[in-house]
Amino acid sequence: MARVKTDKSIWLIFFEAVKIFCMNIHKFFLYMAFPVLGQIIGIFLVFGLTYWFNNNLEAAIAKYPALNNFSTFTLVLLLLTLPGLLILLKALWDYLVAYGALNSMAEGALSTGRVYDFPAHNAVVKSRTLTFVMLWILFGIFTAFATFPLFWVLGGIFFIYFILIFQVFTFEENVSAINCFKESLALIKGKFARTALLACLLFVILYLVYQGVTVLFEVCKLNAFLLKILSDWAMSLPLDQMNFVLQKFNQLITPEMIAKSVISNLTFFVALGFTLPLRSISWTLWYKNLAAFKEQPEQKTVKKSRKTTQKKLDKNILKRAMEDDEEY
């Protein structure tokens, strides 16, 4: 039987993803608000309270002599930073879960035209937490090797081949973390250039959003506010010791340089987090396209050796699509 061509254009995939994202941008913004901003708030609470406590330690010891004890000091410091740590960890977990849940939302948008029922989409990931955690561990190990300068080129190539691992996890049943990588590689094999093109298009969007967030921070005078706070905090760092080493290379680090670097990374993280839905939609559409193209049989029989099967959208999620979604 002749194979029927179903392969979609990368441009069609990209613009369809942008359309879905723009039509539901308020819901995606709401969904990503805590995972993105919660991490920032948690980090600022941890470092901010630690900085405040250290600066006021002498006065606190004079008023409360019990603080002049390592155990008591450690306990108080832990209690001060605990709220920030809890917020940070909860936001980080929600951010990681979003890598799977957003794929389910994208499929829901394709099936019903709506984005709804966040808890139900989160449950798609949480019902297989162990596999999901293992997937992130393996991806973290791969990323650690890929960031080593000697492996940049090889890491970049395999990053493209492994870019659909979260889509494989979301849409295929009984698939292990290792098989997510194998299946992603198998899907993209022969489609590397087009996959890389889509990744480049998404990077351009990310860069434009990053520039937009930078301008927004400037207009709101948030950069100036953060620059002062972060410069004061950076002054507490052992810069003299670092500059003693760096002066051999005719380089010096100033508190302002550190503050500007933190602000730049903060701005990039905000842009990266709030554009995650667009990337998830794009890769979900690309996965669906490649999976459909791959699964068209050349014969009437289906290979029995294939252990994974495509998951259908949960009936409960579809049912909720027919209900009023104002609460979402």
Side-chain angles (χ1 to χ4, degrees), residues 139 142 152-165 167 181 184-189 191-200 283 286 290:
F139 183 69
F142 162 73
W152 280 355
V153 175
L154 189 62
I157 293 172
F158 276 101
F159 176 79
I160 297 298
Y161 278 117
F162 295 153
I163 209 161
L164 297 180
I165 57 174
Q167 283 67 36
F181 286 86
S184 176
L185 191 150
L187 287 169
I188 294 174
K189 188 177 180 180
K191 309 289 183 181
F192 180 88
R194 298 172 65 195
T195 305
L197 174 59
L198 181 56
C200 290
W283 295 125
W286 187 229
L290 295 181

Side-chain angles (χ1 to χ4, degrees), residues 67-299:
L67 288 174
N68 195 20
N69 176 277
F70 180 77
S71 298
T72 305
F73 169 82
T74 303
L75 179 61
V76 171
L77 186 61
L78 178 62
L79 292 175
L80 280 174
T81 57
L82 186 59
L85 284 173
L86 291 176
I87 293 173
L88 172 61
L89 292 175
K90 179 61 170 65
L92 176 60
W93 172 245
D94 287 354
Y95 187 81
L96 298 181
V97 168
Y99 272 79
L102 285 167
N103 301 324
S104 180
M105 290 181 201
E107 185 180 42
L110 290 171
S111 303
T112 66
R114 301 169 64 192
V115 174
Y116 51 89
D117 204 354
F118 296 160
H121 293 292
N122 290 338
V124 172
V125 174
K126 293 178 180 178
S127 62
R128 299 163 61 203
T129 300
L130 182 59
T131 302
F132 189 67
V133 170
M134 284 301 302
L135 181 61
W136 268 109
I137 291 174
L138 291 176
F139 183 69
I141 294 173
F142 162 73
T143 303
F145 279 103
T147 54
F148 191 69
L150 292 177
F151 299 133
W152 280 355
V153 175
L154 189 62
I157 293 172
F158 276 101
F159 176 79
I160 297 298
Y161 278 117
F162 295 153
I163 209 161
L164 297 180
I165 57 174
F166 294 105
Q167 283 67 36
V168 173
F169 168 84
T170 304
F171 298 119
E172 298 195 11
E173 295 179 343
N174 305 319
V175 61
S176 67
I178 293 177
N179 283 336
C180 286
F181 286 86
K182 292 180 179 178
E183 184 66 14
S184 176
L185 191 150
L187 287 169
I188 294 174
K189 188 177 180 180
K191 309 289 183 181
F192 180 88
R194 298 172 65 195
T195 305
L197 174 59
L198 181 56
C200 290
L201 291 174
L202 292 173
F203 179 79
V204 170
I205 294 295
L206 172 60
Y207 179 77
L208 293 175
V209 173
Y210 165 69
Q211 294 297 328
V213 175
T214 301
V215 172
L216 180 63
F217 277 24
E218 288 287 353
V219 171
C220 297
K221 300 188 183 302
L222 189 58
N223 277 357
F225 174 73
L226 290 174
L227 185 63
K228 184 179 185 308
I229 293 177
L230 292 172
S231 294
D232 292 342
W233 167 76
M235 290 179 66
S236 65
L237 299 175
L239 297 182
D240 291 339
Q241 291 87 332
M242 289 188 285
N243 286 329
F244 177 77
V245 176
L246 292 174
Q247 68 182 357
K248 299 177 182 179
F249 304 96
N250 295 321
Q251 294 182 350
L252 293 176
I253 297 178
T254 65
E256 185 177 356
M257 289 172 59
I258 294 176
K260 288 182 177 179
S261 177
V262 172
I263 293 172
S264 178
N265 284 295
L266 172 64
T267 307
F268 182 78
F269 176 71
V270 170
L272 185 71
F274 282 110
T275 55
L276 175 59
L278 174 60
R279 296 193 299 278
S280 294
I281 296 168
S282 299
W283 295 125
T284 294
L285 293 175
W286 187 229
Y287 166 84
K288 290 290 185 182
N289 175 70
L290 295 181
F293 187 78
K294 179 181 179 181
E295 289 176 0
Q296 286 191 15
E298 296 183 359
Q299 300 177 352

